[in-house]
Amino acid sequence: MRLFAKWHIWLGWLVGVPILMWTVTGLIMVINPIEEVRGNHLRIPQEEQLLPAGNPAPIAFRVDNIPQFREMRVVMQDGRPVWLLTDAEGNLERLPADMTGEPLPVIDEAYIRNAAARLIVGGENPVAVEQFSAEESPFDFRRPIPSWRVTLEDGAHIYFDARTGQIAAVRTRFWRVFDFMWGLHIMDLQTRELDQQSIFTHMILVLFAGLAALGALLGCTLMFRRRKPKVKVPR
């Protein structure tokens, strides 16, 4: 028991800071509901658009001089069916899937502003609208795709996929706090992902978690040690 007590003290000094950090970051991350963190309350409910049945139906197409597609989907956008075509390299292209003959609208700043006004609470008066390439993806977005960012008055960032014009992510101010706390929680402030690319950070996390578990186990064991009653010395 004396040996266990000695180990418990040394482990306490070693993992005390990580345990405190895990507790504080975990507490902050659960303060608000995850739906609010993800900004679901900023999305204006939209009536579901269903693909037309019968006539007119989504039509086939022919595209020359383009590699084979890995994925082909038909979705409804702005009341009309649209082909979303993804090639082997992940590049995405939009084509009309109806027989109107009208080209699809260009996804430019005007299109994004209109989409933000229709889909996002407070999106009619954005503070800024910015475009980013796939290589310059902002850190709070972290997706290798071209995007548009709409900044609201409350600091929320609404990201639109520049290829499809659809909302790709909603990043509230608290989401950014949550993201920072998550990075501290998993001990990775660079990628903030537990994947093979951060295997070294992952091993550090496993090591400290194992030491913390061992320290807790020793502490539980020490609860059962017998203590000698104190002898009261008469005055």
Side-chain angles (χ1 to χ4, degrees):
M1 284 296 181
R2 290 180 179 178
L3 183 60
F4 284 170
K6 184 177 180 180
W7 288 352
H8 186 257
I9 292 173
W10 281 107
L11 284 174
W13 282 107
L14 181 62
V15 301
V17 173
I19 289 177
L20 178 61
M21 181 180 66
W22 292 333
T23 304
V24 173
T25 56
L27 175 63
I28 294 176
M29 287 191 293
V30 299
I31 287 178
N32 291 334
I34 191 63
E35 292 79 10
E36 184 175 339
V37 175
R38 293 172 178 169
N40 291 349
H41 62 290
L42 296 178
R43 296 176 182 258
I44 299 175
Q46 303 291 314
E47 184 178 353
E48 185 178 9
Q49 300 183 35
L50 302 178
L51 291 173
N55 190 20
I59 62 172
F61 60 92
R62 177 182 178 84
V63 181
D64 298 321
N65 301 323
I66 292 182
Q68 292 182 337
F69 295 110
R70 182 179 64 191
E71 182 183 37
M72 303 169 61
R73 295 188 296 133
V74 180
V75 299
M76 291 294 292
Q77 287 188 353
D78 302 326
R80 61 185 299 192
V82 175
W83 281 105
L84 297 182
L85 312 173
T86 306
D87 63 19
E89 297 180 356
N91 300 314
L92 189 145
E93 184 174 351
R94 296 163 69 238
L95 292 176
D98 54 21
M99 293 182 285
T100 63
E102 298 180 3
L104 295 176
V106 178
I107 302 176
D108 54 10
E109 182 176 342
Y111 182 96
I112 295 300
R113 286 181 177 272
N114 181 267
R118 289 186 295 104
L119 303 176
I120 297 296
V121 176
E124 64 276 2
N125 294 311
V127 174
V129 178
E130 306 163 272
Q131 186 176 14
F132 298 92
S133 65
E135 294 75 20
E136 300 173 341
S137 180
F139 187 72
D140 64 343
F141 185 46
R142 295 201 296 274
R143 295 185 188 177
I145 61 174
S147 62
W148 286 88
R149 182 175 71 188
V150 177
T151 303
L152 305 184
E153 292 181 350
D154 63 357
H157 293 162
I158 315 299
Y159 286 98
F160 289 84
D161 190 329
R163 306 166 303 174
T164 65
Q166 297 175 318
I167 295 178
V170 177
R171 306 305 194 204
T172 62
R173 277 184 171 176
F174 188 79
W175 185 96
R176 295 193 284 275
V177 174
F178 182 99
D179 187 52
F180 180 75
M181 291 297 125
W182 170 250
L184 287 177
H185 200 74
I186 65 173
M187 299 182 174
D188 187 352
L189 287 175
Q190 293 183 343
T191 65
R192 301 182 188 177
E193 298 287 345
L194 287 175
D195 52 24
Q196 292 299 321
Q197 295 180 354
S198 57
I199 188 65
F200 179 71
T201 302
H202 181 63
M203 291 305 298
I204 293 178
L205 177 61
V206 171
L207 174 63
F208 275 98
L211 292 175
L214 178 59
L217 180 61
L218 290 175
C220 292
T221 303
L222 291 172
M223 293 175 61
F224 295 96
R225 69 176 174 178
R226 297 180 179 178
R227 299 178 183 271
K228 296 180 180 182
K230 293 182 179 181
V231 179
K232 294 184 179 181
V233 179
R235 294 181 181 179

